[in-house]
Amino acid sequence: MAKCVIIGAGPAGMSAALYLKRAGIDVLLIEKDVPGGEMLKTNKIENYLGFMEIDGGELALKMSAQLKNLGISIVKDKVLKVSKEDKFKIETEKEHLVADYVIVATGRVPRKLGLEDEDKLLNRGISYCAVCDGAFYRNLDVAVIGGGDSALTEALYLADLCHKVYVVVRKDLRASDVLKSRIKAKDNIIILKNVEVVGLDYNDSLSQVRLSDGEKLSVSGMFIAIGGVPILDFLDFDLETVNGYIKTNERMESNVKGLYAVGDVRYKDFYQIITAASDGAIAALSIREDV
Ligand SMILES: Cc1cc2nc3c(=O)[nH]c(=O)nc-3n(C[C@H](O)[C@H](O)[C@H](O)COP(=O)(O)OP(=O)(O)OC[C@H]3O[C@@H](n4cnc5c(N)ncnc54)[C@H](O)[C@@H]3O)c2cc1C
């Protein structure tokens, strides 16, 4: 039994844990992998207040060390189901827990393009994380699919490793001006606008990407960065959502009493580390007032 169970130790979940613990509320933080979430996918964060530039892994370590210092333990386990009778019942791979409050901070998984053979080619040319897999494509040609901040961050990372990096974007770039000007300064990044990927050619691994304008890109790797799908399939409730994301009010409350959602899993305009951390703090402070 814990007063509050937080699911997911990305910046949103860790921030919520910090605020709850400091408010004297008994909290249990559950993470299926290592703490850090999406921060672990980037080597360069330049927009988190207090740090001119920091590696995502390092920021994740600093956050988890701060929790450890407060005596908050991060339990490595995967939540399989959350339901509610009088209290919340949380079923994990290892145990059954009961709590008065649940904060969902599970983020999202990368959205797929939906192409035939996309799954089959995962780790055989297709990746959703340049920092994780970029080194396998050293000196080779690759494509990045997407036109937002994440896609351009991936392209910049790959440009330092790979021979040529094509950025394939359905319409136009939607990224920040800082990233756009950095992309311009790299002579091995080629932007292809108003095109879509329509097919993949491969032998053992990816060899060619077919585009909607009839062009074919000979690439060994394709990095897909077209947003994400929120992780909430383990929630056994009649939950209000918007575009698949959990709908909350400004206190991070969902339509289920006692169930809060923070960070990338909730519907909002801006998906950033600082907004995730802010959501976590707000949920914790709201719970403190409710207890
Ligand atoms: C390539 C890339 C670069 C980025 N660069 C920046 C940047 O420079 N600046 C910036 O502000 N933002 C950046 N972002 C966005 C930022 O990382 C996210 O907005 C932020 O991490 C969201 O935090 P979160 O805590 O909501 O979710 P996440 O960080 O996704 O964390 C969710 C956690 O929940 C865990 N989890 C999921 N399901 C379960 C389960 N069933 N049981 C237990 N645990 C579970 C996951 O393992 C994960 O650790 C970037 C994102 C990407 C992909």
Side-chain angles (χ1 to χ4, degrees):
M1 166 85 199
K3 191 80 188 161
C4 178
V5 164
I6 303 173
I7 310 166
M14 288 200 273
S15 168
L18 174 88
Y19 273 77
L20 284 169
K21 180 73 180 183
R22 283 173 55 86
I25 295 167
D26 175 34
V27 57
L28 187 69
L29 176 55
I30 304 175
E31 168 56 53
K32 69 177 169 59
D33 296 323
V34 286
E38 295 253 280
M39 291 188 293
L40 302 174
K41 293 185 179 174
T42 179
N43 66 331
K44 203 176 189 183
I45 294 165
E46 295 172 295
N47 53 7
Y48 191 74
L49 198 64
F51 298 95
M52 297 290 274
E53 182 186 317
I54 185 162
D55 177 88
E58 197 186 337
L59 184 58
L61 268 181
K62 282 185 186 293
M63 289 182 184
S64 57
Q66 194 174 0
L67 298 201
K68 232 182 228 165
N69 191 44
L70 278 173
I72 303 166
S73 57
I74 305 178
V75 177
K76 187 167 165 55
D77 201 351
K78 183 175 179 180
V79 173
L80 303 175
K81 187 176 169 187
V82 182
S83 56
K84 192 178 181 190
E85 283 167 12
D86 182 25
K87 292 180 185 289
F88 287 101
K89 286 167 65 184
I90 300 110
E91 194 182 316
T92 74
E93 279 180 343
K94 296 180 188 157
E95 57 187 335
H96 285 78
L97 300 158
V98 176
D100 291 325
Y101 298 91
V102 168
I103 300 180
V104 183
T106 42
R108 42 189 184 171
V109 284
R111 187 178 295 282
K112 294 180 180 177
L113 276 174
L115 294 168
E116 201 187 335
D117 299 325
E118 186 172 342
D119 286 342
K120 193 170 161 186
L121 290 172
L122 184 65
N123 303 326
R124 288 166 54 205
I126 290 191
S127 167
Y128 299 88
C129 174
V131 170
C132 319
D133 301 327
F136 298 124
Y137 302 93
R138 200 176 286 276
N139 300 324
L140 298 173
D141 291 346
V142 297
V144 172
I145 317 302
D149 279 353
S150 294
L152 295 203
T153 304
E154 301 277 84
L156 284 167
Y157 181 80
L158 292 165
D160 290 337
L161 290 173
C162 302
H163 177 242
K164 242 187 247 171
V165 180
Y166 297 97
V167 175
V168 179
V169 51
R170 204 154 48 130
K171 290 184 183 150
D172 203 351
L173 298 179
R174 289 169 285 104
S176 64
D177 290 340
V178 180
L179 289 175
K180 281 197 236 173
S181 57
R182 279 188 200 156
I183 288 276
K184 258 192 201 153
K186 293 275 183 191
D187 52 17
N188 63 340
I189 298 184
I190 300 130
I191 309 278
L192 304 171
K193 294 181 190 172
N194 300 311
V195 275
E196 286 183 57
V197 179
V198 292
L200 306 168
D201 296 324
Y202 57 93
N203 294 315
D204 219 22
S205 60
L206 181 72
S207 57
Q208 194 164 256
V209 168
R210 281 181 271 124
L211 302 180
S212 51
D213 61 0
E215 283 294 312
K216 289 175 182 168
L217 303 176
S218 290
V219 290
S220 309
M222 179 169 92
F223 292 80
I224 302 171
I226 54 165
V229 179
I231 305 170
L232 42 86
D233 54 345
F234 58 89
L235 296 171
D236 195 13
F237 304 103
D238 201 2
L239 202 58
E240 263 186 60
T241 56
V242 184
N243 296 339
Y245 291 80
I246 301 176
K247 185 178 173 188
T248 69
N249 61 17
E250 288 202 359
R251 296 170 68 82
M252 307 300 142
E253 292 167 312
S254 73
N255 63 312
V256 177
K257 175 87 182 122
L259 187 84
Y260 292 68
V262 294
D264 282 10
V265 77
R266 85 174 184 98
Y267 180 73
K268 58 181 177 177
D269 288 334
F270 306 110
Y271 293 88
Q272 290 285 289
I273 299 165
I274 202 154
T275 59
S278 164
D279 288 355
I282 293 169
L285 293 171
S286 305
I287 290 173
R288 182 178 150 237
E289 280 190 355
D290 195 66
V291 166

